[in-house]
Amino acid sequence: MSGLSSDRRRRPRIETSTETGLAVQVTGATKVFSVARGKQVVALEGIDLGVAPGEFVSLIGPSGCGKSTLLRLIADLDQPTSGTVSVFGKTARQARIDQDYGIAFQQAGLLPWRTVAGNIELPLELHRASTAARRMRVAELLALVGLSDFADRYPDQLSGGMQQRVAIARSLAESPELLLMDEPFGALDEMTRERMQNELVRICAETGAAVVFVTHSIPEAVFLSDRVVVMSPRPGRVREVIPVDLGSAEDRGDDLREATGFFTAVSAVREALHGSPTETGAPARGVDNR
Amino acid sequence: MTRSRPVLLGVLGVLLLGAIWEAYKAFGPTDGVVVGGLTVLPRTSDLAMPHLITMFTRLGEPVTSAPGSPALWNAVLQAAGFSLGIAAAGWVIGVVVGLLLAMLMQRFRTAESALLPWVVLSQTVPLIALAPLVAGWGSQIRFGESRWQDWMSVAVIASYLAFFPVSVGALRGLESPEQAHVELMRTYAVGWWTTLMRLRLPASIPYLLTALRLAAANAVIGTVVAEVSIGLRGGVGRMMVEYASASSGDPGKPWAPIFGAVLIGLVAAGFVALLGLALKRYRRGEVVA
């Protein structure tokens, strides 16, 4: 378990080989849901995906492409019908039991009867960390997400963006080497969203955790990721994996959103999503192009 | 001012009720309102509808004309205290049983299918039928030197009424956490018990408080009715029956134990309200982003 070491560099080793030591390795994963008597929906088919330690990978695709399902397989909230999912070389189940990952959902999912500090320390409390250790860690995390002054507030006293920051702090509580995020900024307005993205880049750089990030938004995926996995629906498949090289965390600020490299990558992802180059010319910023 | 508003409205409501009573007594037909041979509203005679002032002054007079008889309010207060104690015992048993049933039903879906219909059905059994049964079974029970007491039968019957809202309300409450919260606990790899204590139980508090209030009312009603059917002396239930027979000569007297029962209800409801205050932070709603 790593602490908050800012000296860890963000640039990951990107490996496409199946060597062990990957944070996440999904091999031939298929997920079939039985919806009604005899009726089945193939949510995922033949998914292969590797995520290196410290790497930021986004899953993007239209609704129903199974990106959330894939995340749930990695989190062991669902089990694959066939194929394997391993996290840090263990089964997904073992990784969950060992608390190898932290997770954040679209809804902040804070417990309304707990204060901000109480919510962040929930996982520490559940796993019987000492009071002193808890207090220290919570103070660290509050500082990390910029909510030090709000420790004693209750979730209903916070804005949506603040709630989501608390949720992210909670997911980082046990210094996981892997973060799973399912559209964590999906319910936020565009302004807040961009600010949160900036913060997430910084937080990832400071913690050195690998991230699997599910999103609907092309610019978001491009801005955050080392690699963008473009998925297609019915059945959910990986259509293309697009490497994005936009530099280290220090280089990723608001300026990047205006940079040419950013637009090129956005176009590449968009073309992969739609299967052909777009005719509309210059891609518009901040637009969900699904 | 906003705080005292509900209290003010409550007092106003009681005053209004009293005013309607007196107004009907003053202006209503002497023989009551009769529709097709059925009396739908009572006679306005002093016997059937004594003045409020009669009821209250009667409280200050001795119970009987015998020398050394205590004031009526004193006797009623004692009886109410006695009944309240039994109702409280019944409430506690009912809450514990109701909670345990709810946890069992939440834990095992089959238990829910198997138990819930019976829980609902249990409430259709009339108390009058139940009381002699419970008393009969109780008389067979001995624990060491001590024997089953009649008040225990009354408490059991009160709990029989009290457990129902708790089991149904608590079950709803325990199942109220969102899927996201349940899954979060799963990602923390904690078991059913920890999930219950840290998530389900706290989340159920708003549902539980409503259930506890209903249970308190039920326990009071159960106690009063069971006192009558079992014939337990000392509480307001029996007192109501005794004083009712005196109504022809003393119309104010039967109202005294009724006030006693109302008082018990108020105390019980007040207690649950205090509980709600203590659990205030569990009644916050999360504002959705």
Side-chain angles (χ1 to χ4, degrees):
Chain A
M1 295 237 162
S2 76
L4 296 173
S5 46
S6 49
D7 54 343
R8 288 183 66 150
R9 295 262 287 109
R10 179 158 198 285
R11 293 286 78 215
R13 312 173 282 137
I14 298 177
E15 278 137 302
T16 46
S17 72
T18 54
E19 81 159 69
T20 49
L22 286 179
V24 177
Q25 184 162 28
V26 180
T27 315
T30 296
K31 178 68 185 172
V32 181
F33 288 109
S34 307
V35 282
R37 204 181 298 249
K39 273 210 158 185
Q40 292 187 324
V41 169
V42 182
L44 292 172
E45 194 174 73
I47 301 286
D48 295 306
L49 177 70
V51 179
E55 188 185 14
F56 197 119
V57 171
S58 285
L59 308 179
I60 195 168
S63 305
C65 72
K67 51 194 191 299
S68 288
T69 307
L70 180 53
L71 192 85
R72 292 174 61 84
L73 295 188
I74 299 169
D76 190 42
L77 291 172
D78 271 319
Q79 284 73 45
T81 312
S82 65
T84 58
V85 177
S86 69
V87 178
F88 296 113
K90 318 171 194 178
T91 61
R93 183 180 143 75
Q94 192 57 48
R96 173 173 64 82
I97 291 168
D98 293 349
Q99 298 296 296
D100 285 336
Y101 69 79
I103 193 164
F105 301 101
Q106 178 168 6
Q107 293 297 329
L110 305 179
L111 299 180
W113 54 86
R114 281 176 169 256
T115 60
V116 166
N119 268 289
I120 294 176
E121 71 174 350
L122 176 68
L124 301 167
E125 203 180 303
L126 291 174
H127 301 124
R128 303 184 195 288
S130 73
T131 316
R134 258 159 37 197
R135 197 165 300 152
M136 255 180 62
R137 184 69 181 140
V138 167
E140 256 179 346
L141 289 162
L142 280 170
L144 182 70
V145 296
L147 288 175
S148 296
D149 295 339
F150 296 85
D152 296 326
R153 300 286 185 91
Y154 284 90
D156 59 328
Q157 298 169 318
L158 303 182
S159 69
M162 286 166 138
Q163 288 184 25
Q164 204 52 260
R165 275 193 265 175
V166 177
I168 290 171
R170 179 178 63 186
S171 71
L172 291 167
E174 295 182 287
S175 313
E177 301 273 349
L178 173 64
L179 266 182
L180 304 176
M181 310 186 104
D182 191 355
E183 295 189 51
F185 309 143
L188 304 180
D189 63 83
E190 193 59 32
M191 304 277 284
T192 314
R193 196 168 174 157
E194 288 192 355
R195 207 171 58 237
M196 296 292 290
Q197 290 164 3
N198 292 344
E199 286 193 30
L200 185 58
V201 166
R202 177 180 60 79
I203 288 169
C204 288
E206 287 185 25
T207 60
V211 184
V212 180
F213 190 96
V214 169
T215 181
H216 266 128
S217 157
I218 298 172
E220 180 168 275
V222 169
F223 182 76
L224 293 171
S225 310
D226 298 311
R227 278 191 299 155
V228 176
V229 175
V230 178
M231 297 180 66
S232 63
R234 283 175 288 275
R237 286 199 179 108
V238 174
R239 178 177 278 170
E240 211 174 320
V241 179
I242 297 168
V244 183
D245 194 8
L246 293 176
S248 60
E250 302 85 73
D251 307 333
R252 300 194 187 195
D254 273 328
D255 294 343
L256 179 66
R257 297 178 195 276
E258 316 276 3
T260 329
F262 178 74
F263 290 131
T264 317
V266 165
S267 302
V269 173
R270 180 168 297 148
E271 279 164 28
L273 265 175
H274 297 297
S276 64
T278 46
E279 302 90 57
T280 42
R285 270 187 65 224
V287 172
D288 267 14
N289 208 331
R290 301 180 187 168
Chain B
M1 271 328 271
T2 42
R3 279 216 171 172
S4 53
R5 214 179 129 85
V7 180
L8 214 73
L9 284 175
V11 171
L12 217 69
V14 173
L15 288 180
L16 188 68
L17 197 66
I20 291 173
W21 177 274
E22 287 295 336
Y24 177 74
K25 183 167 167 58
F27 305 111
T30 327
D31 289 330
V33 177
V34 182
V35 178
L38 280 175
T39 313
V40 292
L41 284 174
R43 296 161 200 265
T44 54
S45 67
D46 279 346
L47 260 186
M49 291 183 68
H51 279 292
L52 292 173
I53 189 75
T54 317
M55 301 177 196
F56 288 116
T57 49
R58 184 64 188 86
L59 279 174
E61 294 159 13
V63 179
T64 60
S65 52
S69 179
L72 185 57
W73 65 265
N74 196 344
V76 167
L77 222 55
Q78 271 185 16
F82 180 80
S83 294
L84 181 63
I86 298 176
W91 183 79
V92 169
I93 300 171
V95 168
V96 170
V97 171
L99 271 178
L100 288 177
L101 277 175
M103 288 179 196
L104 188 72
M105 289 191 282
Q106 193 278 317
R107 179 71 181 85
F108 303 105
R109 181 124 304 181
T110 40
E112 185 179 343
S113 330
L115 279 176
L116 201 54
W118 293 107
V119 169
V120 176
L121 214 63
S122 73
Q123 298 303 301
T124 62
V125 179
L127 270 197
I128 307 295
L130 207 67
L133 279 179
V134 173
W137 290 331
S139 65
Q140 313 283 326
I141 301 174
R142 271 161 219 267
F143 1 76
E145 292 301 293
S146 46
R147 299 197 51 177
W148 184 264
Q149 305 286 318
D150 268 352
W151 72 264
M152 295 177 186
S153 302
V154 174
V156 166
I157 292 165
S159 73
Y160 186 82
L161 284 194
F163 95 95
F164 174 70
V166 176
S167 60
V168 174
L171 178 61
R172 266 194 68 194
L174 292 179
E175 287 180 346
S176 68
E178 303 158 33
Q179 185 71 10
H181 283 152
V182 177
E183 288 189 337
L184 189 71
M185 297 309 269
R186 186 175 150 78
T187 67
Y188 293 147
V190 294
W192 176 77
W193 179 253
T194 308
T195 307
L196 179 75
M197 298 310 286
R198 297 310 177 86
L199 175 63
R200 294 192 184 275
L201 215 51
S204 75
I205 300 275
Y207 298 84
L208 210 53
L209 283 173
T210 315
L212 292 184
R213 194 158 48 235
L214 283 172
N218 281 5
V220 172
I221 293 170
T223 302
V224 171
V225 175
E227 277 175 358
V228 173
S229 24
I230 287 186
L232 179 70
R233 293 181 164 277
V236 283
R238 183 58 187 256
M239 194 180 237
M240 281 177 193
V241 179
E242 279 171 14
Y243 288 7
S245 57
S247 65
S248 55
D250 194 354
K253 199 176 176 186
W255 291 90
I258 294 178
F259 290 141
V262 170
L263 191 67
I264 300 173
L266 285 178
V267 170
F271 172 72
V272 177
L274 278 181
L275 217 60
L277 274 183
L279 297 171
K280 210 171 172 190
R281 75 189 177 112
Y282 294 100
R283 298 157 72 193
R284 290 176 163 273
E286 185 184 5
V287 177
V288 178

